[in-house]
Amino acid sequence: MYDIFTLARAADAVADLFDDPAFLADTARRASAEEATAFSALLEAAGRDDIRASFLTTITGP
């Protein structure tokens, strides 16, 4: 079992991947609705609202 601090560091590390525009666009294109919801929640939990907004805009369009 992982402690909350380990999970928070993992969420932040995964959120860092979304800093790469190519990764963000590819993930948005391939993600199912459930996966997109999970990624959005992960980005929100990591405090990456700017990247979360870009991710959601990529999925839904401007």
Side-chain angles (χ1 to χ4, degrees):
M1 190 61 128
Y2 295 102
D3 65 54
I4 192 69
F5 299 107
T6 300
L7 294 174
R9 283 190 300 275
D12 195 46
V14 172
D16 284 343
L17 294 172
F18 284 86
D19 278 332
D20 177 1
F23 180 85
L24 186 142
D26 184 55
T27 302
R29 181 179 51 79
R30 297 183 315 129
S32 68
E34 292 84 13
E35 291 166 335
T37 300
F39 290 140
S40 177
L42 184 141
L43 291 168
E44 184 177 25
R48 306 298 289 270
D49 292 330
D50 55 332
I51 298 171
R52 181 175 176 260
S54 294
F55 180 68
L56 294 174
T57 300
T58 303
I59 290 172
T60 61

